[in-house]
mmCIF file with all atom_site columns, all heavy atoms in Angstrom:
data_model
loop_
_atom_site.group_PDB
_atom_site.id
_atom_site.type_symbol
_atom_site.label_atom_id
_atom_site.label_alt_id
_atom_site.label_comp_id
_atom_site.label_asym_id
_atom_site.label_entity_id
_atom_site.label_seq_id
_atom_site.pdbx_PDB_ins_code
_atom_site.Cartn_x
_atom_site.Cartn_y
_atom_site.Cartn_z
_atom_site.occupancy
_atom_site.B_iso_or_equiv
_atom_site.pdbx_formal_charge
_atom_site.auth_seq_id
_atom_site.auth_comp_id
_atom_site.auth_asym_id
_atom_site.auth_atom_id
_atom_site.pdbx_PDB_model_num
ATOM 1  N N   . LYS A 1 91  ? 9.450   26.272 -2.899 1.00 58.00 ? 91  LYS A N   1
ATOM 2  C CA  . LYS A 1 91  ? 8.795   26.499 -4.183 1.00 58.00 ? 91  LYS A CA  1
ATOM 3  C C   . LYS A 1 91  ? 9.801   26.914 -5.251 1.00 58.00 ? 91  LYS A C   1
ATOM 4  O O   . LYS A 1 91  ? 9.529   26.844 -6.432 1.00 58.00 ? 91  LYS A O   1
ATOM 5  C CB  . LYS A 1 91  ? 7.711   27.582 -4.034 1.00 58.00 ? 91  LYS A CB  1
ATOM 6  C CG  . LYS A 1 91  ? 6.464   27.085 -3.337 1.00 58.00 ? 91  LYS A CG  1
ATOM 7  C CD  . LYS A 1 91  ? 5.441   26.564 -4.332 1.00 58.00 ? 91  LYS A CD  1
ATOM 8  C CE  . LYS A 1 91  ? 4.631   25.477 -3.734 1.00 58.00 ? 91  LYS A CE  1
ATOM 9  N NZ  . LYS A 1 91  ? 3.286   25.434 -3.711 1.00 58.00 ? 91  LYS A NZ  1
ATOM 10 N N   . ASN A 1 134 ? 7.116   13.192 12.929 1.00 98.00 ? 134 ASN A N   1
ATOM 11 C CA  . ASN A 1 134 ? 6.417   12.998 11.665 1.00 98.00 ? 134 ASN A CA  1
ATOM 12 C C   . ASN A 1 134 ? 4.951   13.369 11.852 1.00 98.00 ? 134 ASN A C   1
ATOM 13 O O   . ASN A 1 134 ? 4.218   12.706 12.575 1.00 98.00 ? 134 ASN A O   1
ATOM 14 C CB  . ASN A 1 134 ? 6.554   11.528 11.235 1.00 98.00 ? 134 ASN A CB  1
ATOM 15 C CG  . ASN A 1 134 ? 5.888   11.253 9.897  1.00 98.00 ? 134 ASN A CG  1
ATOM 16 O OD1 . ASN A 1 134 ? 5.306   12.146 9.290  1.00 98.00 ? 134 ASN A OD1 1
ATOM 17 N ND2 . ASN A 1 134 ? 5.983   10.014 9.443  1.00 98.00 ? 134 ASN A ND2 1
ATOM 18 N N   . LEU A 1 139 ? 1.994   8.343  1.940  1.00 95.00 ? 139 LEU A N   1
ATOM 19 C CA  . LEU A 1 139 ? 1.076   7.250  2.255  1.00 95.00 ? 139 LEU A CA  1
ATOM 20 C C   . LEU A 1 139 ? 1.645   6.386  3.369  1.00 95.00 ? 139 LEU A C   1
ATOM 21 O O   . LEU A 1 139 ? 1.220   5.257  3.564  1.00 95.00 ? 139 LEU A O   1
ATOM 22 C CB  . LEU A 1 139 ? 0.863   6.373  1.008  1.00 95.00 ? 139 LEU A CB  1
ATOM 23 C CG  . LEU A 1 139 ? 0.614   7.076  -0.312 1.00 95.00 ? 139 LEU A CG  1
ATOM 24 C CD1 . LEU A 1 139 ? 0.430   6.048  -1.425 1.00 95.00 ? 139 LEU A CD1 1
ATOM 25 C CD2 . LEU A 1 139 ? -0.612  7.964  -0.222 1.00 95.00 ? 139 LEU A CD2 1
ATOM 26 N N   . LEU A 1 240 ? -12.613 4.294  -8.017 1.00 93.00 ? 240 LEU A N   1
ATOM 27 C CA  . LEU A 1 240 ? -14.025 4.131  -7.659 1.00 93.00 ? 240 LEU A CA  1
ATOM 28 C C   . LEU A 1 240 ? -14.888 4.698  -8.764 1.00 93.00 ? 240 LEU A C   1
ATOM 29 O O   . LEU A 1 240 ? -14.513 5.666  -9.419 1.00 93.00 ? 240 LEU A O   1
ATOM 30 C CB  . LEU A 1 240 ? -14.315 4.923  -6.377 1.00 93.00 ? 240 LEU A CB  1
ATOM 31 C CG  . LEU A 1 240 ? -13.622 4.477  -5.089 1.00 93.00 ? 240 LEU A CG  1
ATOM 32 C CD1 . LEU A 1 240 ? -13.836 5.518  -4.019 1.00 93.00 ? 240 LEU A CD1 1
ATOM 33 C CD2 . LEU A 1 240 ? -14.129 3.118  -4.641 1.00 93.00 ? 240 LEU A CD2 1
ATOM 34 N N   . LEU A 1 309 ? 10.300  14.381 23.874 1.00 96.00 ? 309 LEU A N   1
ATOM 35 C CA  . LEU A 1 309 ? 11.447  14.629 22.995 1.00 96.00 ? 309 LEU A CA  1
ATOM 36 C C   . LEU A 1 309 ? 12.307  15.793 23.462 1.00 96.00 ? 309 LEU A C   1
ATOM 37 O O   . LEU A 1 309 ? 13.515  15.795 23.249 1.00 96.00 ? 309 LEU A O   1
ATOM 38 C CB  . LEU A 1 309 ? 10.964  14.893 21.565 1.00 96.00 ? 309 LEU A CB  1
ATOM 39 C CG  . LEU A 1 309 ? 10.357  13.694 20.835 1.00 96.00 ? 309 LEU A CG  1
ATOM 40 C CD1 . LEU A 1 309 ? 9.801   14.121 19.491 1.00 96.00 ? 309 LEU A CD1 1
ATOM 41 C CD2 . LEU A 1 309 ? 11.404  12.599 20.654 1.00 96.00 ? 309 LEU A CD2 1
ATOM 42 N N   . GLU A 1 315 ? 17.145  14.923 29.130 1.00 59.00 ? 315 GLU A N   1
ATOM 43 C CA  . GLU A 1 315 ? 18.553  14.827 29.545 1.00 59.00 ? 315 GLU A CA  1
ATOM 44 C C   . GLU A 1 315 ? 18.760  13.708 30.551 1.00 59.00 ? 315 GLU A C   1
ATOM 45 O O   . GLU A 1 315 ? 19.846  13.161 30.669 1.00 59.00 ? 315 GLU A O   1
ATOM 46 C CB  . GLU A 1 315 ? 19.042  16.151 30.161 1.00 59.00 ? 315 GLU A CB  1
ATOM 47 C CG  . GLU A 1 315 ? 19.351  17.231 29.156 1.00 59.00 ? 315 GLU A CG  1
ATOM 48 C CD  . GLU A 1 315 ? 18.096  17.937 28.660 1.00 59.00 ? 315 GLU A CD  1
ATOM 49 O OE1 . GLU A 1 315 ? 17.065  17.835 29.340 1.00 59.00 ? 315 GLU A OE1 1
ATOM 50 O OE2 . GLU A 1 315 ? 18.167  18.568 27.584 1.00 59.00 ? 315 GLU A OE2 1
#
Side-chain angles (χ1 to χ4, degrees):
Chain A
K91 285 268 149 128
N134 182 359
L139 315 180
L240 295 170
L309 291 175
E315 283 80 19

